[in-house]
Amino acid sequence: MSDQVVMHPQLNPPNFEHSLSDSDSEGNNEGPNATGAPVVPITDNEQDGEGPHTVRVARPVPPIDYGPQPPLVNIKELMNLAFRPAALNTRVTCHISRNRDGLDKIYPQYQLSIEHLLTGDIQHVMTARKKRKSQTSYYTISGVVHDSPESAGRLVELGKVRSNFLGTTFVIYSHGKNPMKKEVDSKQNDLPVREEMGAVLYDPNILGFKGPRKMTILMHTLTRDGKRPEFRPTSESETLLSKYREGGSRDLLVLHNKSPQWNEETQSFVLNFSGRVTQASVKNFQIVHDNDLDYIVMQFGRVGPDLFTMDYKYPICLFQAFAIALTSFDAKLACE
């Protein structure tokens, strides 16, 4: 089974516009091909009696590519880049390189860089390492800050990704203490409670009989003004996984990977990555919302033996996108 890349006609990536109701959005779309479709429900305090707001899509406006910026010189700049959702109508293009040399073959290191497609400029902004001596897959993610002229870049811990034993469920956290266990390290106790940033679920698929991987991505919805609220659960019942499994998904953003189509000519499952992915791999995926399968929230795929591209757009942030990509690298005992 292969996720070979093929090209077929597709609409240009859409432009997001905020609207307060379905009728308002439909009336504001311009052009003969413009259509509106709800993408992300945004929570509201509902004190004014209005229903939940939605973000809607107006086409055909291509997104602006976000290019590398000046080196990050302080932690505030790093946090803004890492945790702020992508701007509306903006695509952030990145690549991830995997280092498996020497002792890192079993526990590789991943470097995330933002790249500008027109100029070829790149900016290394994050590094992830697979933790040794862990019973489950465990990645720590750090950001790069150039706050000293003598330093090539200082690493600041941003968060982690951790899986269950089978590698079918991953949870994404910011850097902080776990309120559900007693920390041995006294330094951890001085940190704020970690923020839950998302979860990724892979459908069990023994020996691959059900076809390509199927992913479900869980996140909290954004606020009415497009900001990402902080959620720091202190009990198991407050977590994203518990809410989703109990059917309480009203305040959750639920995304899925786009199902590839079977190609008779190549005898493989294929997706259109518009040239950004060039090699077949079970790791390749595109993330969409069920209400608009043409709007690619995120895509990830192989372009070399240890080189991958990763692009993302609103409503996710760079840290979330990198964490989701890391879950794809791992071997999954029950998924293939």
Side-chain angles (χ1 to χ4, degrees):
M1 251 169 291
S2 138
D3 287 349
Q4 180 177 341
V5 180
V6 295
M7 300 289 292
H8 13 258
Q10 292 262 337
L11 292 173
N12 284 331
N15 171 41
F16 274 110
E17 291 183 348
H18 283 84
S19 65
L20 298 184
S21 68
D22 291 354
S23 60
D24 288 342
S25 176
E26 292 168 0
N28 288 336
N29 290 338
E30 298 177 356
N33 297 323
T35 59
V39 176
V40 184
I42 296 183
T43 57
D44 184 37
N45 57 23
E46 300 187 2
Q47 292 179 356
D48 53 5
E50 297 177 4
H53 295 268
T54 59
V55 174
R56 301 186 66 84
V57 177
R59 295 189 183 89
V61 181
I64 300 169
D65 283 339
Y66 175 94
Q69 305 299 305
L72 306 170
V73 297
N74 56 55
I75 293 179
K76 182 179 180 181
E77 288 186 357
L78 172 63
M79 295 300 178
N80 283 338
L81 176 63
F83 295 108
R84 180 181 294 171
L88 298 179
N89 196 38
T90 300
R91 177 181 66 165
V92 185
T93 52
C94 311
H95 74 245
I96 299 173
S97 58
R98 177 174 56 186
N99 184 353
R100 296 189 292 182
D101 296 336
L103 298 176
D104 289 329
K105 287 185 177 180
I106 300 178
Y107 301 98
Q109 176 179 302
Y110 303 87
Q111 289 193 338
L112 171 69
S113 299
I114 297 175
E115 60 180 336
H116 197 287
L117 299 185
L118 293 179
T119 65
D121 293 336
I122 61 172
Q123 177 186 3
H124 174 211
V125 292
M126 288 186 190
T127 294
R129 292 183 173 87
K130 192 169 185 179
K131 193 170 182 179
R132 303 172 188 269
K133 298 180 181 179
S134 175
Q135 294 181 346
T136 62
S137 293
Y138 188 171
Y139 298 88
T140 58
I141 301 176
S142 302
V144 181
V145 175
H146 299 269
D147 54 1
S148 170
E150 298 81 19
S151 173
R154 178 170 66 94
L155 292 179
V156 177
E157 189 167 350
L158 297 175
K160 61 186 178 183
V161 186
R162 194 160 195 172
S163 79
N164 63 353
F165 177 74
L166 294 177
T168 56
T169 301
F170 293 78
V171 183
I172 304 166
Y173 299 107
S174 70
H175 183 47
K177 65 180 179 182
N178 182 352
M180 287 171 259
K181 75 172 187 178
K182 185 176 180 180
E183 298 288 357
V184 177
D185 188 350
S186 59
K187 294 181 179 179
Q188 290 290 109
N189 288 321
D190 296 333
L191 295 173
V193 172
R194 64 189 185 183
E195 182 181 354
E196 189 179 33
M197 301 287 296
V200 181
L201 291 73
Y202 288 84
D203 286 6
N205 186 10
I206 305 297
L207 300 180
F209 289 137
K210 295 181 182 179
R213 290 177 176 178
K214 293 184 179 180
M215 304 165 62
T216 299
I217 293 88
L218 307 177
M219 293 183 289
H220 289 283
T221 54
L222 303 187
T223 61
R224 181 174 178 178
D225 56 358
K227 294 182 179 179
R228 184 182 52 78
E230 293 186 1
F231 285 89
R232 304 179 187 271
T234 56
S235 66
E236 191 66 32
S237 62
E238 297 174 347
T239 64
L240 283 165
L241 289 173
S242 294
K243 290 180 180 179
Y244 179 71
R245 288 166 177 163
E246 293 171 5
S249 58
R250 178 182 177 185
D251 295 333
L252 302 185
L253 171 59
V254 182
L255 305 170
H256 297 97
N257 65 314
K258 192 171 186 177
S259 298
Q261 302 300 310
W262 178 256
N263 185 289
E264 289 291 343
E265 183 177 343
T266 61
Q267 290 293 293
S268 62
F269 289 97
V270 296
L271 284 169
N272 172 31
F273 289 90
S274 301
R276 289 287 288 155
V277 176
T278 58
Q279 294 189 6
S281 173
V282 69
K283 297 176 176 62
N284 300 348
F285 64 81
Q286 292 178 325
I287 301 300
V288 296
H289 190 276
D290 288 345
N291 286 348
D292 189 352
L293 301 181
D294 291 324
Y295 182 78
I296 307 301
V297 176
M298 174 188 171
Q299 67 179 24
F300 170 82
R302 185 192 296 271
V303 294
D306 289 297
L307 187 63
F308 304 80
T309 59
M310 184 196 83
D311 304 337
Y312 74 96
K313 291 184 285 189
Y314 181 91
I316 65 176
C317 66
L318 181 60
F319 176 81
Q320 289 170 322
F322 191 22
I324 293 168
L326 289 172
T327 70
S328 184
F329 283 109
D330 226 57
K332 294 159 181 49
L333 299 178
C335 294
E336 57 225 20

